[in-house]
Amino acid sequence: MAEKRNIFLVGPMGAGKSTIGRQLAQQLNMDFFDSDYEIERRTGADVGWVFDVEGESGFRDREEKIINELTDKQGIILATGGGSIKSRETRNRLSARGVVIYLETTIDKQLIRTQRDKKRPLLQVDAPPKEVLEKLAKERNYLYKEIADITICTDDKSVKSVVNQIINMLEKK
């Protein structure tokens, strides 16, 4: 990869966007950003608190602004929040400003990967986590597919093998 293109990771919670993004950034010697972390850094509060105080729509407004700002940078890797693609503006910016990689995973893997994580506001509800994840998948998976330049399933793969797969696929683009 001679010129450094922006790489944007999309997918549901528990797909590995942050973990894979950090490793990918290290391998490609690029700057890594995580939209959720940026929201926390700028507000001084965790995502759950922002959700509680501002509601999902307030959180999504912040997320859209931060993603707009970050996608204007050059040569970065960005792990987006799972619901960021609900915004048409965000989807358009991601598509126009870099390579979009959809990290796909199954509901069962999401359940395993998120079961101890208390930083997932959409899972901190009374409904069973599997039902919540199924509903989110129905609402979002087609949007991830719609904007993806590359789709990679992260189930049963190590972080290193997914990173290598992404690098190989980027070299072919």
Side-chain angles (χ1 to χ4, degrees):
M1 254 175 45
E3 78 355 305
K4 298 230 176 176
R5 295 173 284 180
N6 286 334
I7 300 167
F8 306 131
L9 303 177
V10 301
M13 65 178 97
K17 298 180 299 288
S18 299
T19 306
I20 290 164
R22 270 196 268 315
Q23 289 293 314
L24 187 61
Q26 244 179 351
Q27 287 291 313
L28 297 176
N29 196 26
M30 293 170 73
D31 291 329
F32 173 73
F33 295 90
D34 180 307
S35 61
D36 284 350
Y37 173 78
E38 285 299 309
I39 290 170
E40 290 181 339
R41 190 178 68 77
R42 294 172 189 203
T43 60
D46 71 28
V47 166
W49 186 87
V50 176
F51 245 80
D52 287 346
V53 172
E54 299 181 356
E56 185 173 359
S57 67
F59 174 81
R60 297 289 172 218
D61 287 345
R62 278 185 190 278
E63 183 176 60
E64 189 175 298
K65 286 182 185 104
I66 284 173
I67 290 175
N68 179 35
E69 185 184 311
L70 292 172
T71 57
D72 251 350
K73 294 179 179 289
Q74 292 301 306
I76 68 155
I77 295 174
L78 172 64
T80 62
S84 63
I85 47 80
K86 289 171 64 175
S87 158
R88 178 181 304 282
E89 288 290 311
T90 295
R91 290 194 309 275
N92 290 344
R93 286 185 183 115
L94 292 172
S95 292
R97 297 176 179 174
V99 178
V100 179
I101 301 174
Y102 171 24
L103 299 181
E104 195 175 34
T105 188
T106 59
I107 303 285
D108 288 338
K109 283 290 178 195
Q110 282 182 274
L111 284 167
I112 292 165
R113 294 172 180 167
T114 61
Q115 67 185 349
R116 288 188 193 84
D117 193 341
K118 299 296 176 219
K119 287 185 130 187
R120 311 276 183 179
L122 293 176
L123 290 180
Q124 306 307 313
V125 294
D126 290 336
K130 186 170 185 165
E131 283 179 23
V132 173
L133 294 174
E134 286 169 346
K135 180 178 178 280
L136 293 174
K138 221 173 266 163
E139 292 171 1
R140 300 173 179 179
N141 286 359
Y142 77 97
L143 294 171
Y144 300 133
K145 286 182 180 120
E146 188 179 273
I147 66 166
D149 296 302
I150 297 171
T151 299
I152 296 176
C153 182
T154 61
D155 291 359
D156 305 319
K157 290 182 186 160
S158 69
V159 171
K160 186 176 182 163
S161 73
V162 173
V163 167
N164 289 336
Q165 190 178 353
I166 290 170
I167 292 169
N168 291 333
M169 291 178 99
L170 288 171
E171 286 171 352
K172 293 175 188 162
K173 280 222 164 268

